Amino acid sequence: MPVVDVDPDELRRLTGKEDKSDDELKDDLFALGLEYEGDTEDGLMQLEFGPDRLDRLSVEGVARSLRYQYGDDRGVYVPKTNDPDWTIEVDESVPDERPYVTGAVIRGANLSEAGLDSIIQLQEKLHATMGRKRVKGAIGIHDLTMLKGEMLGEEGGNSITYKGIDPEGDTFVALDSDRELSPAQVLDDHPTGQKYADIVAEYDRVPAIYDELGLFSFPPVINGRRTEVSTDSRDLFVELTGTDQWTIDHMCNIICYALAARGATIEQVEVNYPSGTAVKPDFEVRTKTVTHDRIETMLGLELDEQETIDLFERSGLDAEAASDAAEVDAELDDEAEDLAYEVSVPPYRVDVLHPIDLVDDVGRAYGFNELVPKYPDIGTVGGRHEHSTLEDAARRSLVGLGFEDLLNFHMISGEENYERMHVDAGSDVVGGGEPVEITEPYSEDYTQLRSWALPSLMMVLENNTHRPYPQDLAEIGLAAERDDSENTNVAEHRTVAGALARFDATYEDAKGRLQALCRDFDVELETPATEHPSFIPGRVAAVVIDGEEVGVVGEVHPKVLVEHDLELPVAAFEFRLDALADE
């Protein structure tokens, strides 16, 4: 989950709640779905939130949400924009791999040290999320006074040019550098260039942005030092390039709203493509519709029309009643009623995709803690499924054996699931199943469902090397792999994984815990020798329960430990949970 660092004093100033204590702020933030994770060394609050609300990746966005929650702001706010004075000319030489560009001019920005830090953090967080580590979209922010635009003929105005160039061609002084470098030299010699070189490695021509003085930006890698932004900068030029116009347009909107919150004025920019002209930023207000019945049914509330509209406005949305629900919410034709709402969604909200998202906003504005639990109006009483009962029993046994119970994400990257464990995708070893991949992943960190749980435990160990040892971790969770024989083409199962990280961890330690667990469930365990690339040869065995091979146990291979920066041995096991069930 994304974590953003927020200055509590800045938050109080931007919300106008100077008298709020830190504890009160934490309670208000939790009501928004932002969880307090701790403080940085500099006294900043670390807040974790759902990755859908990317407008909250900065203190400005968090403050905006709080003002709505407090009732100080209401409805959709769209910043006023001035007519364009600057143009981005898109040359036909632009690489086909990165054809899109957008931008905005910011006038009168008031950037304190804290404000500049917040904008830089927002830029990098957007890169990591919507921008998919700059692959899908990248942001450049420049001091406008250091740009010299080319004159646009008789009509006046200034222009810069987005084009493709030879990597060995023109040079510029990049940020954190003191010498002229060509794009190819940046990729070879500059730390930032080396980090993002893979993005443009296959390009015949690399993206570049020029003003009249020459090259000043090498997207998506690095800006030039000439246009570096400081606390003295008042006018800014924001440019974004990427592989998808919608993505970079909405990243631009989020940046513009954050700067507008600090008193800046937004000025439009013309983007001249060979195929036509567009005016950016695009602050179009979208509309979504939802029926009153759906809101009440989902939340278990009885609300009148004005109460509902009020809750929408306190969510930063506008709503008006529509007369025919069958027209405005086609998904609910079978339940159509007279009252529905046409809801206006502001340009910075990239998360509102479905009527359910509108219901969620109404629920948060009402206060989920204010909802009164009640039994559903049905004639049956629920109970635990036998699979759930088995899982709970296994979890209790693992805790009794000294393991700390974990709950990790079911999604993971291919690198973590396979490469860092030295397992080949599609192999027949435990964890080697064909990956269940996400067609359009939101983040490169979560591109597939995990095929086994041990990589998740190794990641936890890697992130906790500063904690005392021993660390004995266990997890029971979902694993999945491609299987064309299934109706869904996906085979899912619950898996049990355990890892012991300590200076004297051995195969016998892992096997001993596994034997004790099997005794609790009265099943027979056998451990014939086997081979597995994640484990040391000769110190690894198959897990055979009641005659069926269901997993693996052994000492983790040193090359896997090195991959995870671990300096202590780790013994581990993993097997299918259903092997413990009574036949």
Side-chain angles (χ1 to χ4, degrees), residues 103-278:
V105 169
I106 310 298
R107 303 282 188 182
N110 182 16
L111 293 178
S112 61
E113 196 68 44
L116 181 58
D117 289 343
S118 178
I119 295 302
I120 292 173
Q121 177 183 229
L122 174 59
Q123 179 182 5
E124 291 309 314
K125 294 292 184 181
L126 285 172
H127 283 161
T129 51
M130 283 189 79
R132 296 187 189 168
K133 296 184 178 179
R134 306 194 188 187
V135 173
K136 196 171 185 178
I139 306 163
I141 303 178
H142 309 272
D143 189 326
L144 184 66
T145 61
M146 301 307 295
L147 291 177
K148 185 176 182 181
E150 300 179 48
M151 294 302 296
L152 287 173
E154 296 180 359
E155 66 270 21
N158 302 281
S159 77
I160 61 174
T161 303
Y162 178 45
K163 62 174 68 174
I165 65 170
D166 187 330
E168 302 284 355
D170 292 339
T171 63
F172 72 118
V173 179
L175 287 173
D176 300 321
S177 179
D178 57 4
R179 63 189 180 98
E180 294 272 344
L181 299 171
S182 68
Q185 289 172 318
V186 169
L187 299 179
D188 289 338
D189 302 335
H190 195 289
T192 303
Q194 294 167 352
K195 182 176 181 180
Y196 296 106
D198 287 348
I199 301 176
V200 297
E202 302 301 322
Y203 290 13
D204 293 329
R205 301 176 66 82
V206 296
I209 304 180
Y210 285 73
D211 66 355
E212 190 173 327
L213 298 179
L215 174 62
F216 70 89
S217 181
F218 172 25
V221 180
I222 197 167
N223 294 340
R225 186 172 173 180
R226 167 162 61 97
T227 60
E228 183 175 4
V229 175
S230 70
T231 54
D232 296 325
S233 302
R234 291 294 174 264
D235 295 340
L236 310 174
F237 194 100
V238 180
E239 47 84 4
L240 298 91
T241 65
T243 62
D244 179 73
Q245 188 73 59
W246 185 94
T247 297
I248 60 174
D249 280 345
H250 284 80
M251 291 170 70
C252 184
N253 290 348
I254 293 172
I255 290 281
C256 288
Y257 266 81
L259 289 165
R262 293 187 174 274
T265 300
I266 312 300
E267 183 178 298
Q268 294 175 324
V269 169
E270 278 192 4
V271 181
N272 288 335
Y273 286 104
S275 59
T277 298

Side-chain angles (χ1 to χ4, degrees), residues 215-422:
L215 174 62
F216 70 89
S217 181
F218 172 25
V221 180
I222 197 167
N223 294 340
R225 186 172 173 180
R226 167 162 61 97
T227 60
E228 183 175 4
V229 175
S230 70
T231 54
D232 296 325
S233 302
R234 291 294 174 264
D235 295 340
L236 310 174
F237 194 100
V238 180
E239 47 84 4
L240 298 91
T241 65
T243 62
D244 179 73
Q245 188 73 59
W246 185 94
T247 297
I248 60 174
D249 280 345
H250 284 80
M251 291 170 70
C252 184
N253 290 348
I254 293 172
I255 290 281
C256 288
Y257 266 81
L259 289 165
R262 293 187 174 274
T265 300
I266 312 300
E267 183 178 298
Q268 294 175 324
V269 169
E270 278 192 4
V271 181
N272 288 335
Y273 286 104
S275 59
T277 298
V279 177
K280 305 296 181 178
D282 182 5
F283 285 164
E284 178 186 7
V285 175
R286 298 175 293 125
T287 59
K288 291 283 183 182
T289 54
V290 62
T291 62
H292 189 84
D293 178 70
R294 173 173 278 197
I295 294 170
E296 289 191 329
T297 301
M298 293 294 295
L299 298 178
L301 294 173
E302 292 184 5
L303 302 168
D304 62 34
E305 178 183 324
Q306 192 52 49
E307 281 180 304
T308 307
I309 292 175
D310 177 72
L311 291 170
F312 275 125
E313 291 179 350
R314 286 182 51 207
S315 302
L317 309 170
D318 282 334
E320 59 180 16
S323 60
D324 189 351
E327 292 181 10
V328 297
D329 194 350
E331 296 179 36
L332 291 179
D333 280 345
D334 294 339
E335 311 169 18
E337 50 155 278
D338 291 335
L339 181 58
Y341 304 95
E342 186 171 288
V343 182
S344 299
V345 182
Y348 61 84
R349 289 289 300 273
V350 299
D351 60 301
V352 180
L353 306 175
H354 187 275
I356 294 299
D357 298 316
L358 302 176
V359 177
D360 180 71
D361 276 7
V362 171
R364 290 197 180 279
Y366 182 87
F368 285 128
N369 289 336
E370 303 300 320
L371 298 179
V372 178
K374 60 181 181 181
Y375 284 105
D377 187 20
I378 56 177
T380 60
V381 178
R384 283 192 177 278
H385 192 280
E386 59 183 17
H387 294 163
S388 176
T389 302
L390 174 64
E391 186 170 321
D392 284 351
R395 185 170 281 113
R396 285 194 299 271
S397 292
L398 288 167
V399 171
L401 291 169
F403 287 101
E404 184 172 350
D405 185 37
L406 300 184
L407 178 62
N408 286 303
F409 294 129
H410 297 154
M411 294 184 66
I412 198 170
S413 69
E415 180 183 11
E416 296 288 354
N417 193 79
Y418 298 114
E419 295 175 25
R420 301 187 73 200
M421 300 299 294
H422 294 268

Side-chain angles (χ1 to χ4, degrees), residues 500 502 504-512 539 554-555 569-572:
L500 298 93
R502 50 181 67 201
D504 58 351
T506 65
Y507 165 81
E508 287 76 16
D509 294 321
K511 180 181 176 180
R539 304 295 293 170
E555 296 178 20
V570 175

